[in-house]
Amino acid sequence: HHSLSYFPSSSIGSIDVDRGPGNAGTIGASTYGGTIRLFSEPLTEAMHARGSFSYGSYGSRAENLNLQSGEFADGTRVMGNLQNNHTDGRLWLQSVDATYLLLKASHEFGDNWTLTLFGTYTHLAQYVADNATATPAQVAVPENGATLYSHT
């Protein structure tokens, strides 16, 4: 996976770093080096909106809009987060366009029962001009079907 493929950084509420192997019952059996857990932004009781815009070199820009509904009378809370990133890239034909949509909703059914729905959508368009020509490790198949390996 790619670092651009996860949920948007603008919706991270907290990060928990466990430097030890941890409990296999809750985080898995193969965490010898520790774990890093990302938690989404908590849903708030009060309604609010937050937006940001940033820009940089090589046509880089990022826009973010975060809306929280606050708590409705029935105990439901909803958050929506939209983030858009773009860069032309330092190298020719190395652009990236990414759009992230996150929706989180929570409903309290009682003192000890809460249902939380969490969903994300990511659209990633990345142009990487690597290997524009054949490399020595690539395989060529001639018309007769024989497999040739090219070495330089």
Side-chain angles (χ1 to χ4, degrees), residues 81-102:
N81 191 78
L82 176 64
Q83 181 172 322
N84 185 51
N85 298 342
H86 170 81
T87 184
D88 293 332
R90 181 177 179 275
L91 301 175
W92 184 64
L93 296 176
Q94 297 287 310
S95 64
V96 176
D97 282 297
T99 301
Y100 307 94
L101 178 62
L102 178 141

Side-chain angles (χ1 to χ4, degrees), residues 32-112:
Y32 302 112
T35 59
I36 298 174
R37 294 188 295 176
L38 304 176
F39 294 94
S40 63
E41 181 178 347
L43 300 173
T44 60
E45 291 182 9
M47 181 188 325
H48 75 272
R50 180 180 71 235
S52 65
F53 175 80
S54 59
Y55 63 94
S57 56
Y58 307 109
S60 299
R61 67 180 189 277
E63 303 96 15
N64 175 250
L65 178 62
N66 182 293
L67 303 169
Q68 289 222 23
S69 68
E71 187 167 341
F72 294 110
D74 66 351
T76 300
R77 300 176 186 184
V78 179
M79 176 184 71
N81 191 78
L82 176 64
Q83 181 172 322
N84 185 51
N85 298 342
H86 170 81
T87 184
D88 293 332
R90 181 177 179 275
L91 301 175
W92 184 64
L93 296 176
Q94 297 287 310
S95 64
V96 176
D97 282 297
T99 301
Y100 307 94
L101 178 62
L102 178 141
L103 183 65
K104 180 178 178 180
S106 179
H107 179 78
E108 294 182 13
F109 289 99
D111 292 337
N112 298 319

